[in-house]
Amino acid sequence: MSISYSRPLSMGYQRMKKALFQPFDISKWFRIGFTAFLAGLTDCHSNGGGNNSGNHYNEWDNFFSFPQTAWNWLTDNPLWANLILVGLVFLIILISVTIWVSARGKFMFLHNVVHDNSEISEPWHEYRKEGNSLFWFDFVFGWFAFAVFVLLAAYFFVSAKELYYGDFTKPAIFLAILQMVLLFIGYMIIFGYIGLFEKDFVVPLMYKYRIGVLKAWGKFLALLSKKLFTFLIYGLFIFVLGIAVVIGVIFFALITCCIGLLLIAIPYIGAVVLLPISYTFRAFSIEFLAQFGDKYNVFPKDELGLLVDSPEE
């Protein structure tokens, strides 16, 4: 079987043009954009960056003593401590609701891409069972990923504190920092791939077979075990496309004097503005999956979709 990366992308782009521009229907844009907005509620769009300002020892001393300082402040101010606790509980509830809505939204957006329509109410109710199954997986997996991140952050903090106050040689410091960087990169790669595979392939399999998330993961892992390198390359391909999109968004912001950037930053409006991109990515993933045979093709049977050389044996 010949697996292509450019051809599914081209097919996804053609689907986007047909759905959004042939003909152009602004109401359809806003309806599909709403489902895309819901589907992307839990996606990460963080900008990493910071700068090390100053080399004053007292700043680092304050940084490393911050946990103890914060704890002492909380114990000395029980009212604020209780208010912060209530705020954290509210935040957890808000995050949980967001994950639940986004899980249902992923099926709504996928449904509209597969069938080239702009339905909202019907897929919201139709895929309730699958959406709830995805929600519980995302809920557990999300907090697990967060817990691992907190453990890594604590390990990095303790290690950095030891390096700062200890008497280590420069090679030892370099190796310790390199270890922390590699651990963080490994964390990002592992959890990034899991999230990508779930959104791009597990959700479509849930949609096609009307099954729960664990059964869909089982089906995908059976394929992944045979085509591991192919899917790893897919992740790198998506990463490169993402960089290209970021560059395009920056260029768009510059030529519109940052007005375009302000529009993108507005919830829902940003999803509508970027709909051609999210639609193409969603169509690309299911076109790519369809290459592995009929049992991975989520498009209607009366539609040819992406032609494949032969079904998977």
Side-chain angles (χ1 to χ4, degrees), residues 36 46 130 149 154 158 184 193 196 210 231 236 251 256 266 297 311:
S46 59
E130 291 79 11
F149 176 81
V158 172
F184 182 72
Y193 264 110
L196 176 68
R210 306 301 302 270
F231 283 101
L236 293 176
F251 180 74
T256 59
I266 301 175
N297 188 356

Side-chain angles (χ1 to χ4, degrees), residues 180-240:
M180 288 187 282
V181 170
L182 291 177
L183 278 174
F184 182 72
I185 292 175
Y187 168 85
M188 296 296 292
I189 290 175
I190 292 173
F191 285 92
Y193 264 110
I194 293 174
L196 176 68
F197 289 160
E198 180 203 86
K199 177 172 66 74
D200 284 6
F201 306 123
V202 173
V203 169
L205 291 175
M206 294 176 68
Y207 175 86
K208 176 180 177 63
Y209 291 103
R210 306 301 302 270
I211 56 178
V213 64
L214 295 181
K215 289 184 178 179
W217 265 111
K219 287 182 176 293
F220 173 69
L221 291 176
L223 176 62
L224 181 65
S225 64
K226 301 175 184 177
K227 305 289 183 181
L228 177 61
F229 185 74
T230 300
F231 283 101
L232 291 179
I233 295 298
Y234 173 86
L236 293 176
F237 191 71
I238 288 291
F239 179 74
V240 172

Side-chain angles (χ1 to χ4, degrees), residues 93-200:
I93 294 174
L94 180 62
I95 292 173
S96 301
V97 173
T98 301
I99 296 173
W100 177 72
V101 173
S102 181
R104 195 79 66 91
K106 285 179 171 62
F107 290 95
M108 298 164 66
F109 186 39
L110 177 62
H111 176 82
N112 286 331
V113 173
V114 169
H115 295 282
D116 185 15
N117 55 34
S118 55
E119 296 175 347
I120 294 178
S121 178
E122 181 178 344
W124 169 269
H125 295 288
E126 178 67 20
Y127 299 99
R128 177 185 58 189
K129 182 179 178 181
E130 291 79 11
N132 290 340
S133 176
L134 183 65
F135 158 70
W136 284 114
F137 180 87
D138 285 347
F139 181 84
V140 174
F141 175 75
W143 286 112
F144 173 73
F146 178 73
V148 174
F149 176 81
V150 170
L151 290 175
L152 280 177
Y155 170 73
F156 294 160
F157 181 85
V158 172
S159 299
K161 187 176 182 179
E162 291 179 353
L163 291 175
Y164 178 71
Y165 289 110
D167 185 17
F168 296 94
T169 62
K170 290 184 178 180
I173 294 175
F174 172 78
L175 290 176
I177 294 175
L178 179 62
Q179 180 192 45
M180 288 187 282
V181 170
L182 291 177
L183 278 174
F184 182 72
I185 292 175
Y187 168 85
M188 296 296 292
I189 290 175
I190 292 173
F191 285 92
Y193 264 110
I194 293 174
L196 176 68
F197 289 160
E198 180 203 86
K199 177 172 66 74
D200 284 6

Side-chain angles (χ1 to χ4, degrees), residues 237-251 277 281:
F237 191 71
I238 288 291
F239 179 74
V240 172
L241 289 177
I243 293 176
V245 168
V246 170
I247 294 175
V249 169
I250 294 174
F251 180 74
I277 296 174
F281 271 73

Side-chain angles (χ1 to χ4, degrees), residues 12-24 279-280:
Y13 176 72
Q14 294 301 324
R15 286 184 180 276
M16 181 276 295
K17 285 203 307 181
K18 179 178 181 295
L20 302 182
F21 295 100
Q22 299 173 354
F24 175 78
Y279 198 107
T280 300

